[in-house]
Amino acid sequence: MNLVQKIIQAHLVSGTPEAGNEIAIRVDQTLTQDATGTLSYLQFEATGADRVKVDLAVSYIDHNMMQGDFRNADDHIYLQDVAAKYGIHFSRPGNGICHQVHLERFAVPGVTLLGTDSHTPTCGGMGTLSLGAGGLDVAIAMAGSPYYFKMPKVRGICLEGQLSRGVSAKDIIMKLLGDLSVKGGIGWALEYYGPGVATLDVPQRATITNMGAELGATTSIFPSDKQTLAYLVQQGRESYFQELRPDADACYDDTLTLDLSELEPLIARPDSPDNVCSITEVSGTPVNQVAIGSCTNSSFSDLMTVASALRGKTIHPNVNMVVSPGSKQVLQLIAENGALADMIAAGARILESACGPCAGMGQIPSSGAVSVRSFNRNFPGRSGGLDNHVYLASPIACAAAALSGYIADPRDLDISSAPENPERFNINTNGIIPPPKNGQYVQIRRGPNIQPVPVKNPMGRKIVGDILIKLGDNISTDHILPAGPTVLPLRSNVPAIREYLFKYVDADFINRVKKKQGGIIVGGHNYGQGSSREHAALCPMSLGVTIVIAKSFSRIHFGNLINYGILPLTLQSEADYDAIQEGDTLNLDNVIELLESGSNSFPVHNQTSETTIITNLEISSRQREILLAGGLLTYVGENSKDE
Ligand code: MIC
Ligand code: SF4
């Protein structure tokens, strides 16, 4: 067996783990962050559970940090109270980005982790089988349910050789993105093996597993070996070490080999993480902003590398450089060893340990600006401005751009000395508040911005609706419902946040959907890629959207649509996509019968052109029941009544 199969087998609750089958696994750990966490905990409360049933649950505050008014702070108080009441560890504001902190303090080789964030697979760098999911899925898992998902195919990625000077772990994953595209990982788990693995430390591995999310992969994982032990020793957590490898004769559904010594520094150009080229192709492009941080590249070693490059130099006068350390631990360590002073002296602006500009929370670039970021996503509008040009690169390439004022080859940088990497860190865990043994008497405070989560009625016999919008390929959840300082504070308030649906794609969408009291959305391939935010399904549902028809869907968004009772129908041909237009009226008859009969074929009649197309819905019988019930929460409620 390969490693993915081994961990799944050890956690299997139901199903046969063959690619394409729905399986259910036991969830050992959960993580939530504040932008998706409030809804998740509101739903957890609705399950009636009196305490979380997983071994470890952690609630992080890292996304909504600007506190432009009372709303962020109210959410944080709600989350802290919920954590105390239900047995959840609470990572305080300022303690860092969920994935970085989870890797440092909680990830364990061989366990399963489910998180309300698409980059949860970051902990695959530690040999944890980690999956991103919608908030409702995580709520149900915290209440004791297993997690249901499609068993992925497993692609073995054999790493050979060693990275050369100036080439980073980020370049490994960008090479894969350039070759495979943002759709290339759909339906796959990516498992790294081979001699090159031993040359990468855990933070480097975590950069790679983190951006497996950009490939659309279900998860990504590295074995647990000497490097894993060294990282756990650094964190004072060596007792959690367990060696984990695939069997010597492990099989993979596909393999590919990457020779690390052949890699060169790469960069993703605007507006997609797979728009990758050699950095030399664009070097010389003037740069206005450089941002270092995010769950991809904000580890101690990443920031030490940047500090060594900046030491004794000055950032180019045309560049605004911001640095957000991944965690309080990282910030404290670089403060203690002087690296922070090197960055400050060079002119870097130090932000708090949080997602910050990665989720468009501040540092929105000037008009038409070029911003080079060590982040993972550069979808249009994600930086908070529509007319800027965001490039993604390694921290060292970002440092090269900050110093020279243009995109530059990091191999030309003169770095004073190799960054130090102590055997043991000075650990201070006071950013994490463990729950009291008994949370029964904790009163939960709910600010006025925290509104109940809308619930859908059971599925009707017939659906009729107009096509409200017809979109192209790779529409991300950032397109469907943007983030940023105006929108993120509304994550606990569905009636308010839904006003921003498709805001930067088609500002009139919201008026149309309201006027027509719902309707149908049409997308291309990989619809709903990117963020796991369930608001991208919940808000359309709350406005009466009943069907999304697309050429293909991203895994997490597909699950979220079903969880909120929206039919995700797949088109069978390009001709069918061409045959439906915005404004057409469609109807789908006998919906209940089709769902109950187990049929995969859903005939959609176009009343406008008087034609019929056959769409596809390949889902499990459990998912059919969820759709019939009107969503996962109702389904779970009904089933617990039956028990
Ligand atoms: C992101 O990187 O897009 C986010 C913001 O972390 C999201 C979660 C969210 O939208 O709250 C994600 O990746 O799932
Ligand atoms: Fe935060 Fe950015 Fe990572 Fe999302 S991708 S969790 S916004 S740092």
Side-chain angles (χ1 to χ4, degrees):
M1 282 198 274
N2 55 52
L3 197 50
V4 171
Q5 290 167 332
K6 281 188 186 187
I7 304 179
I8 286 180
Q9 190 62 52
H11 289 81
L12 196 65
V13 174
S14 71
T16 314
E18 276 164 20
N21 284 355
E22 187 182 72
I23 55 165
I25 58 165
R26 180 166 44 80
V27 176
D28 299 322
Q29 300 187 347
T30 56
L31 74 75
T32 58
Q33 40 88 344
D34 53 339
T36 47
T38 46
L39 276 196
S40 187
Y41 291 115
L42 285 168
Q43 298 176 123
F44 173 78
E45 289 187 274
T47 67
D50 54 359
R51 205 160 169 91
V52 289
K53 304 284 191 300
V54 288
D55 296 344
L56 174 87
V58 192
S59 173
Y60 292 92
I61 307 289
D62 54 2
H63 282 64
N64 275 326
M65 304 287 285
M66 286 179 61
Q67 292 184 210
D69 60 28
F70 63 92
R71 288 173 298 191
N72 288 167
D74 279 3
D75 280 357
H76 300 173
I77 286 173
Y78 167 74
L79 292 169
Q80 184 163 2
D81 289 348
V82 166
K85 189 168 182 75
Y86 294 107
I88 300 156
H89 284 69
F90 181 71
S91 177
R92 302 162 76 163
N95 194 47
I97 305 172
C98 53
H99 311 301
Q100 171 68 22
V101 179
H102 209 83
L103 191 70
E104 290 170 357
R105 302 311 311 154
F106 298 112
V108 175
V111 311
T112 56
L113 165 70
L114 191 69
T116 63
D117 192 281
S118 62
H119 289 103
T120 305
T122 310
C123 288
M126 173 77 85
T128 306
L129 189 93
S130 28
L131 300 151
L136 184 46
D137 285 314
V138 178
I140 304 290
M142 287 189 289
S145 285
Y147 177 59
Y148 291 82
F149 66 113
K150 237 187 209 171
M151 176 70 192
K153 290 180 276 185
V154 186
R155 176 175 281 141
I157 302 184
C158 178
L159 302 181
E160 289 177 348
Q162 194 162 356
L163 293 173
S164 337
R165 198 184 141 271
V167 186
S168 310
K170 181 71 156 270
D171 300 312
I172 302 178
I173 187 67
M174 288 215 291
K175 167 79 181 137
L176 291 173
L177 271 158
D179 288 354
L180 301 175
S181 90
V182 289
K183 312 197 277 290
I186 296 180
W188 291 91
L190 308 180
E191 179 171 320
Y192 294 84
Y193 71 102
V197 162
T199 68
L200 301 171
D201 62 20
V202 167
Q204 288 176 305
R205 295 174 184 185
T207 295
I208 297 167
T209 52
N210 172 280
M211 278 189 83
E214 277 52 68
L215 284 163
T218 303
T219 188
S220 302
I221 196 164
F222 274 81
S224 167
D225 57 11
K226 279 193 190 138
Q227 292 278 12
T228 321
L229 177 61
Y231 184 81
L232 284 167
V233 168
Q234 235 174 10
Q235 293 292 334
R237 296 204 294 124
E238 55 270 38
S239 59
Y240 290 94
F241 177 67
Q242 183 202 158
E243 189 171 332
L244 274 185
R245 294 184 182 283
D247 291 333
D249 57 351
C251 291
Y252 294 98
D253 295 291
D254 185 27
T255 54
L256 64 86
T257 302
L258 214 60
D259 187 347
L260 305 186
S261 38
E262 279 174 8
L263 285 182
E264 55 173 339
L266 300 171
I267 192 161
R269 292 161 290 189
D271 278 321
S272 179
D274 61 359
N275 193 10
V276 171
C277 69
S278 158
I279 212 158
T280 52
E281 263 181 61
V282 285
S283 49
T285 308
V287 171
N288 310 92
Q289 185 193 55
V290 168
I292 291 180
S294 90
C295 53
T296 313
N297 276 124
S298 58
S299 65
F300 172 74
S301 29
D302 282 335
L303 296 202
M304 287 304 292
T305 307
V306 172
S308 325
L310 299 189
R311 185 170 305 138
K313 304 189 182 116
T314 296
I315 288 156
H316 191 278
N318 294 347
V319 177
N320 242 298
M321 180 185 190
V322 292
V323 179
S324 13
S327 66
K328 172 169 172 279
Q329 180 186 94
V330 171
L331 181 56
Q332 190 181 329
L333 289 169
I334 60 173
E336 282 165 1
N337 72 10
L340 182 63
D342 291 334
M343 291 198 263
I344 295 171
R349 297 165 59 188
I350 310 300
L351 307 179
E352 68 178 319
S353 298
C355 300
C358 180
M361 295 300 274
Q363 311 309 322
I364 296 167
S366 55
S367 307
V370 168
S371 176
V372 182
R373 303 174 160 213
S374 74
F375 305 170
N376 47 39
R377 291 186 171 145
N378 58 347
F379 301 136
R382 186 169 167 98
S383 62
L386 272 182
D387 65 347
N388 30 92
H389 311 281
V390 177
Y391 291 75
L392 307 173
S394 67
I396 189 70
C398 289
L403 289 170
S404 61
Y406 47 82
I407 295 176
D409 192 329
R411 289 171 296 195
D412 298 338
L413 265 181
D414 137 49
I415 297 188
S416 44
S417 59
E420 60 171 284
N421 204 356
E423 211 172 296
R424 274 182 187 275
F425 286 159
N426 174 18
I427 305 291
N428 170 351
T429 58
N430 64 5
I432 295 163
I433 306 177
K437 282 223 164 50
N438 182 354
Q440 208 183 335
Y441 301 107
V442 174
Q443 292 291 327
I444 297 176
R445 290 163 287 173
R446 288 165 220 272
N449 186 49
I450 301 176
Q451 295 293 322
V453 185
V455 183
K456 187 178 173 287
N457 291 329
M459 187 64 76
R461 302 191 75 79
K462 176 173 178 156
I463 299 176
V464 184
D466 289 358
I467 298 180
L468 299 162
I469 189 167
K470 184 178 174 187
L471 301 144
D473 290 348
N474 297 322
I475 290 296
S476 72
T477 41
D478 276 304
H479 290 102
I480 303 172
L481 193 67
T486 324
V487 189
L488 272 194
L490 303 172
R491 283 289 182 90
S492 319
N493 186 340
V494 173
I497 199 171
R498 66 188 181 193
E499 295 292 318
Y500 292 86
L501 271 172
F502 292 111
K503 176 106 182 149
Y504 302 126
V505 176
D506 177 348
D508 195 44
F509 175 87
I510 188 68
N511 299 327
R512 282 203 300 281
V513 67
K514 281 185 186 164
K515 196 161 138 221
K516 301 195 172 200
Q517 296 180 355
I520 294 167
I521 293 171
V522 174
H525 278 298
N526 200 17
Y527 181 77
Q529 69 160 331
S531 157
S532 64
R533 61 191 73 145
E534 60 193 331
H535 305 70
L538 172 56
C539 293
M541 179 280 275
S542 75
L543 287 161
V545 170
T546 44
I547 306 181
V548 177
I549 305 179
K551 292 181 191 170
S552 63
F553 293 86
S554 86
R555 178 185 71 89
I556 300 178
H557 189 62
F558 187 81
N560 285 338
L561 290 171
I562 291 181
N563 286 353
Y564 287 105
I566 297 181
L567 279 171
L569 301 178
T570 306
L571 290 158
Q572 312 247 51
S573 69
E574 289 295 327
D576 288 351
Y577 175 79
D578 294 339
I580 48 179
Q581 305 305 334
E582 188 178 311
D584 287 359
T585 305
L586 308 184
N587 67 274
L588 177 60
D589 294 341
N590 307 321
V591 191
I592 297 182
E593 288 82 345
L594 285 169
L595 283 169
E596 282 176 346
S597 69
S599 169
N600 290 343
S601 294
F602 282 63
V604 175
H605 181 66
N606 188 334
Q607 295 181 4
T608 311
S609 64
E610 298 202 341
T611 51
T612 298
I613 55 169
I614 307 293
T615 63
N616 192 40
L617 183 65
E618 258 173 70
I619 52 171
S620 67
S621 50
R622 180 183 157 273
Q623 288 173 312
R624 287 171 190 274
E625 285 176 29
I626 294 173
L627 285 169
L628 286 166
L632 179 58
L633 202 56
T634 318
Y635 167 81
V636 170
E638 282 173 2
N639 282 2
S640 61
K641 261 185 261 147
D642 297 347
E643 277 164 15

